[in-house]
Amino acid sequence: MKLSQMFLPTRKEVPAEAEAVSHQLMLRAGLIRKVSSGIYCTLPLGYRVLKKIQNIVREEMDRAGAQELLMPTLLPAELFQATGRWEVYGPLMFRLKDRNKRDFLLGPTHEETFTEVVKAEIKSYRQLPINLYQIQNKFRDEIRPRFGVMRSREFIMKDAYSFDKDQEGLDESYLKMHDAYVNIFDRCGLDYIIVDADSGAIGGSNSQEFMVKSEIGEDTVVFCSKCGYAANIEKAECVREFHEDHAEKTLEKIYTPNVRTIEELEKFFEGEASRFVKTLIYKADDKIVAVLVRGDREVNEIKLLNLLGCIEIEMADPETVKKITCAEVGFAGPLGLNIETYADKEVQGMKNFVVGANETGYHYKNVNVNRDFKITKTSDLRNITKEDPCPKCGAAIGIAQGIEVGHIFKLGTKYSKPLECTYIDENGKEQLMIMGCYGIGVNRTMAAIIEQNSDENGIIWPMSVAPYQVIVVPVMAGDETQFKLAQKIYDELDKEGIDVILDDRDERAGVKFKDADLIGIPVRITVGKKASEGIVEFKERSKSDVEEIKEEEVIKRVKNNLRLNNG
Ligand code: ATP
Ligand code: MG
């Protein structure tokens, strides 16, 4: 391709709306453009990268024995009503009606659809196991679309579904997908960890996420360097036992005007946050509940959701808090509160702590569980911290941010049961199929690759996913010798099947180099003054050194580089 003819709108300025480096670079390098909040079009250069990632995914899925097909994105509501997910998905699901006022949705994921298709066609144990996948657009009305295509409302997902006769079969299918994912993300040049995860709305008993380490990651991952334990913080269990043995002191009500936050409490009571208990009012579906955690802890909403078995939870709005506690926000406490009260395990072990008094301007001191108030249920409800031990081996843990690029689940009979997806076994008996599901965010993977592979000048594509592998740059477009040689090298590389572009634009060399760096082409061949001697420059985007090589060595050098770096 010749750069002068390409639709490649690059930008010098850093777009104000983009926080994440990958989002900035995707806009600057002309990979994507915003259409609406959380909705993007992928421009030609970006689409080449997407297709390369899709091909890696496809090759590894096929190698693992999965078969590609294509499902519709427009789905009838009945499919999701049968499994209860028409409700479970809540506002995240895009819903619409047809001309006859029948309910439809745009698929956020496809467990139901695949299960129905398999149910209709597969009858015998002889036809199992089977693993089917697609690469297709998904729709989720995210509360906070963020970081460009990292969290968008329409995105491309590779989703696969396995159907087995029994649990052993599922274990095998799951392991195959696990290994395929390792190959995929290795080939994409990503630095990632595999963590135990909560199964969320998709359900099931066992799941793992592939997390790309990155400061902007919206997930927090916990890992133990000693035993290899790794989990999403949503899932990581707090096992530290905590019991204070002090004698219970007399309960006191203290006038605390304008003391609402933990910091203000610390100052007022001259005590550490660990001496206080936070009372948080939550809306769990239609129920209002109170949740107690130590002052310096964070509530783990996933653990809470799982404990309550509800569909959605969120902090109650200030009006509700006022109504429930009869006080301004900041003075909630468990004493005399007429709602179900759930406490973190740690609170159960505390003595003589401070809580809000459910009266504006007042707190209670020397509060004790059971004596002063009752807990509905105690459970592990907080986020693990660096001070906690590894739940598996007790050693110190590390905590980092991660971007979830892939997720694999053992579903069991979660979908085959309600949808009656059965087969006839060796003994002529009807059995439920045992399912697994496996997702990869394709555009998110592209953004994650940029997040881990860039410098101040732009993107540094790993060779395996680079939109073009080589860029040939004649320094002076008007110099016939230079241009002819550049064109010749370009033609030869092209003939060899190498993805190459020729920067034939009538621009200064500085501009061309800047653009080549911004769009991140792994190898640059510069044809300059020594063109007349048949000498050109070879430079890798990821390295600073420039090497002079003979014109006839170019193909060999490029091929060698491709062989070494092509994932
Ligand atoms: P998240 O926790 O980030 O919202 P999820 O766990 O809901 O994601 P899954 O249902 O596991 O997502 O979907 C499979 C994969 O699809 C994810 O691992 C992720 O890579 C990708 N994905 C999910 N939601 C989005 C989105 N809004 N934008 C881009 N990619 C997404
Ligand atoms: Mg997930």
Side-chain angles (χ1 to χ4, degrees), residues 140 197-199 202 207-209 404 406-409 439 444:
R140 295 183 185 179
D198 184 75
S199 302
I202 290 180
S207 86
Q208 287 171 302
E209 288 163 338
E404 179 195 326
H407 199 165
I408 54 178
F409 292 85
R444 189 182 283 183

Side-chain angles (χ1 to χ4, degrees), residues 95-104:
R95 297 157 204 262
L96 61 160
K97 289 192 190 290
D98 73 0
R99 62 175 75 217
N100 299 314
K101 306 276 181 294
R102 281 182 56 203
D103 285 318
F104 281 82

Side-chain angles (χ1 to χ4, degrees), residues 120-262:
E121 308 304 330
I122 302 241
K123 305 287 179 202
S124 157
Y125 70 93
R126 286 193 201 91
Q127 297 163 287
L128 294 175
I130 191 157
N131 187 337
L132 302 171
Y133 78 98
Q134 62 173 343
I135 299 177
Q136 180 220 40
N137 287 26
K138 295 281 185 277
F139 298 82
R140 295 183 185 179
D141 197 358
E142 300 279 359
I143 304 178
R144 278 204 307 159
R146 257 185 116 185
F147 301 147
V149 298
M150 196 80 88
R151 180 172 299 285
S152 52
R153 300 199 294 166
E154 175 175 355
F155 58 95
I156 302 171
M157 196 200 286
K158 184 287 299 173
D159 48 328
Y161 306 85
S162 65
F163 298 81
D164 274 278
K165 287 186 288 188
D166 49 28
Q167 187 63 38
E168 273 160 42
L170 169 61
D171 292 346
E172 216 171 288
S173 298
Y174 183 90
L175 194 62
K176 274 190 195 155
M177 287 296 102
H178 172 281
D179 295 349
Y181 276 36
V182 165
N183 293 343
I184 290 167
F185 295 122
D186 282 351
R187 286 180 63 185
C188 287
L190 285 166
D191 176 17
Y192 62 93
I193 54 173
I194 305 169
V195 304
D196 290 344
D198 184 75
S199 302
I202 290 180
S205 55
N206 199 334
S207 86
Q208 287 171 302
E209 288 163 338
F210 287 70
M211 292 284 187
V212 170
K213 289 186 212 155
S214 161
E215 275 171 23
I216 66 143
E218 292 187 285
D219 282 276
T220 305
V221 297
V222 177
F223 53 91
C224 171
S225 317
K226 193 160 168 226
C227 74
Y229 171 85
N232 191 311
I233 198 163
E234 292 176 346
K235 168 105 179 173
E237 205 189 331
C238 305
V239 294
R240 193 172 77 108
E241 291 295 334
F242 184 75
H243 283 292
E244 290 178 327
D245 283 332
H246 318 304
E248 293 186 358
K249 294 185 191 167
T250 314
L251 181 70
E252 282 179 59
K253 189 166 166 182
I254 312 278
Y255 181 48
T256 54
N258 294 321
V259 176
R260 295 160 200 264
T261 63
I262 288 293

Side-chain angles (χ1 to χ4, degrees), residues 435-449:
M435 291 173 57
C437 75
Y438 318 92
I440 289 179
V442 177
N443 334 59
R444 189 182 283 183
T445 297
M446 166 152 104
I449 293 170

